[in-house]
Amino acid sequence: PVADEFDGYFGITYTYDPGATPPVFEISAEGYFISLNLDNYPSEDICIVYLRQHGLRAILLVWGYGWRGTYAGSLYVGDPANWVGNHLVMLRWTDSNSDSLVQEEEITVEVVR
């Protein structure tokens, strides 16, 4: 619910089309997007990390399709060096070692602004 509320304020949108071939989930913001082929889930996940001012509050959204995407975004945010001058990150986690756990080396940043 919190993500839905702030998505509207910040112009973040998503598309969920389970009937597409392949089924797809896509997140977009500021003219950028990241898509997830749902046939690859849960061994692949995506996340948007978005930092923006809303009134007097600084809001940080870390929102993945599933918990692994959200966890990957949280891991990324945990390193302050990743935030130098950036406010929008879209990333993909791919379970390259098939252990179903998120490790930093499995995270790929696809958009950074």
Side-chain angles (χ1 to χ4, degrees), residues 53-67:
Q53 194 74 26
H54 179 66
L56 298 175
R57 300 185 294 177
I59 305 297
L60 177 63
L61 288 176
V62 181
W63 178 48
Y65 175 77
W67 74 264

Side-chain angles (χ1 to χ4, degrees), residues 1-25:
V2 172
D4 286 338
E5 176 185 354
F6 286 102
D7 287 351
Y9 296 144
F10 301 150
I12 299 170
T13 61
Y14 68 92
T15 304
Y16 173 62
D17 190 354
T21 305
V24 68
F25 178 80

Side-chain angles (χ1 to χ4, degrees), residues 19-96:
T21 305
V24 68
F25 178 80
E26 180 179 284
I27 302 171
S28 62
E30 298 184 9
Y32 299 92
F33 71 92
I34 187 167
S35 296
L36 174 63
N37 174 340
L38 294 175
D39 286 344
N40 297 335
Y41 182 80
S43 61
E44 184 177 309
D45 205 342
I46 59 173
C47 181
I48 182 171
V49 181
Y50 198 76
L51 176 64
R52 187 149 168 205
Q53 194 74 26
H54 179 66
L56 298 175
R57 300 185 294 177
I59 305 297
L60 177 63
L61 288 176
V62 181
W63 178 48
Y65 175 77
W67 74 264
R68 290 173 185 89
T70 303
Y71 188 89
S74 298
L75 216 69
Y76 182 86
V77 170
D79 183 350
N82 291 332
W83 283 101
V84 178
N86 300 319
H87 73 280
L88 167 65
V89 176
M90 293 179 175
L91 55 85
R92 181 176 312 277
W93 168 76
T94 305
D95 190 13
S96 58

Side-chain angles (χ1 to χ4, degrees), residues 42-43 67-68 93 95-103 106:
S43 61
W67 74 264
R68 290 173 185 89
W93 168 76
D95 190 13
S96 58
N97 64 7
S98 301
D99 68 354
S100 298
L101 300 173
V102 178
Q103 287 95 32
E106 298 175 324

